[in-house]
Amino acid sequence: MKKYTTNDFDRDFPDNDSCLEWLKNQKYPKGIFCQKCQRVTNHYRIHGRPCYSCEFCGTHVYPMAGTIFEDTKFSHLRLWFKAIAYMAVTRCGISSRQLSRDLGVTVKTGWRMWTEIRKALAEGNAIKFLGHVEVDETYIGGKARGKRGRGSENKTVVLGIVERKGRARGIVVPDIKAKTLIPAIEANVLKDAIVYTDDLHSYDKLSNRGFNHKVVEHSQNVYVVAGDIHTNCVEGFWSQLKRSIDGTYHHVTAHHLQGYVDEYSFRYNHRKDEQPMFETMLEKVARYSS
Ligand SMILES: [Zn+2]
């Protein structure tokens, strides 16, 4: 993945106008369709205002409308772009307090930007997984982080779903009971999928529910039963996620964990992209309608 430096940022986005221009081009790659003229027309920028005007009828179009920048002053648009650049620059992300410090804004403003950007990154999580899908649960948080163990106190359960050679998603769940895990899997995985899990009994009903269910018997020290029956991908996802949380936070509350897992999953899902993470994140944020 290409690096994106602060020099790149200053070159591409020297001011608020260039950010607005980028946003307009991103939202309307084939030109702006004028509702009144009922066709794509030339639009020119209204000087000093965050809008473009139809050359024929004068109807105004505001590219920031309907995006996470909608309630933001135009004079802060570049600051938001910068926030995305800061959030994209590290492998493990940054905390909202760190973001506030880096941008020189109040904790409250930093928190709002951080939350909105993450919300935009999490969009699209409704698309179900298919093919070979590994499912596993883990415990995150509490004092002894990173340790696997069922029934651990003060820890939050996360259900991980990873498509082999594909996407990953983590879902914060209240417990590891079948009545919790099965519906969460059904909400995220297509019935045609082959689902690989360990031998936790909560997963037993997966085949009754129509999944092609393959079990890896971890508890008998059998890590690979035969050929492709393993959960190595989701375990790799866990170890990277936990390392990343340890690198960023001293403590993640259960309440904030979902947002963190979503941001992490986004990075994981785009880890092999050619273009810099900043561009991927910026494009995603621009596509998101608030
Ligand atoms: Zn028009």
Side-chain angles (χ1 to χ4, degrees):
M1 187 182 290
K2 284 195 200 111
K3 285 216 187 274
Y4 194 86
T5 65
T6 50
N7 283 340
D8 294 331
F9 184 83
D10 291 338
R11 180 201 60 220
D12 295 342
F13 302 106
D15 48 29
N16 291 304
D17 290 331
S18 50
C19 295
L20 189 75
E21 186 73 11
W22 182 90
L23 189 60
K24 182 206 66 171
N25 292 336
Q26 189 69 23
K27 282 183 79 175
Y28 314 102
K30 292 171 185 165
I32 299 174
F33 182 89
C34 176
Q35 291 299 337
K36 199 169 171 190
C37 299
Q38 280 297 301
R39 62 189 172 94
V40 173
T41 59
N42 280 326
H43 282 70
Y44 59 89
R45 173 70 195 279
I46 302 279
H47 183 73
R49 291 180 59 193
C51 70
Y52 294 80
S53 177
C54 171
E55 182 174 271
F56 295 97
C57 71
T59 299
H60 289 179
V61 169
Y62 293 79
M64 288 160 73
T67 71
I68 63 166
F69 314 119
E70 185 168 53
D71 299 326
T72 300
K73 284 185 209 142
F74 175 54
S75 58
H76 285 172
L77 186 60
R78 185 173 185 262
L79 199 62
W80 277 79
F81 276 47
K82 217 172 195 176
I84 297 164
Y86 282 137
M87 287 173 74
V89 80
T90 61
R91 253 175 62 101
C92 50
I94 57 172
S95 68
S96 74
R97 283 183 178 268
Q98 184 63 45
L99 182 67
S100 313
R101 279 193 293 272
D102 290 348
L103 293 173
V105 299
T106 62
V107 168
K108 196 182 155 196
T109 302
W111 168 255
R112 192 180 145 243
M113 295 170 121
W114 189 79
T115 314
E116 288 294 315
I117 292 164
R118 278 182 152 189
K119 206 161 72 185
L121 296 183
E123 194 204 33
N125 280 357
I127 301 165
K128 290 191 178 184
F129 285 27
L130 69 163
H132 295 262
V133 179
E134 297 179 17
V135 174
D136 190 27
E137 78 297 338
T138 197
Y139 290 85
I140 294 179
K143 272 184 184 164
R145 262 193 314 267
K147 226 171 150 187
R148 188 184 160 106
R150 288 173 181 152
S152 312
E153 284 173 23
N154 297 322
K155 286 172 177 282
T156 305
V157 189
V158 183
L159 181 71
I161 304 177
V162 177
E163 248 170 16
R164 287 189 189 157
K165 295 179 186 164
R167 299 165 293 156
R169 183 176 302 163
I171 303 137
V172 174
V173 287
D175 54 61
I176 61 165
K177 292 173 187 162
K179 64 173 184 189
T180 305
L181 299 187
I182 302 282
I185 294 166
E186 288 184 307
N188 288 282
V189 183
L190 285 171
K191 285 285 159 75
D192 298 340
I194 302 169
V195 179
Y196 304 86
T197 70
D198 63 15
D199 57 358
L200 179 74
H201 288 307
S202 302
Y203 298 125
D204 288 353
K205 286 198 178 111
L206 278 173
S207 34
N208 288 349
R209 310 291 306 198
F211 290 101
N212 186 346
H213 182 207
K214 310 258 190 213
V215 180
V216 186
E217 295 180 26
H218 279 176
S219 54
Q220 288 161 23
N221 288 327
V222 182
Y223 287 96
V224 179
V225 173
D228 63 347
I229 304 181
H230 63 79
T231 50
N232 296 344
C233 301
V234 68
E235 279 156 33
F237 177 69
W238 288 143
S239 67
Q240 290 173 48
L241 171 69
K242 286 173 178 178
R243 224 178 307 142
S244 158
I245 287 175
D246 283 345
T248 314
Y249 301 94
H250 296 296
H251 183 67
V252 191
T253 61
H255 176 67
H256 293 140
L257 190 58
Q258 186 63 61
Y260 189 84
V261 172
D262 287 342
E263 185 188 337
Y264 182 78
S265 302
F266 184 87
R267 288 171 196 285
Y268 180 93
N269 295 340
H270 293 280
R271 69 199 183 283
K272 286 173 182 162
D273 288 5
E274 179 102 353
Q275 69 172 0
M277 182 56 70
F278 167 66
E279 289 175 5
T280 304
M281 285 172 71
L282 192 59
E283 286 169 14
K284 174 85 181 187
V285 167
R287 276 199 304 274
Y288 174 75
S289 35
S290 61

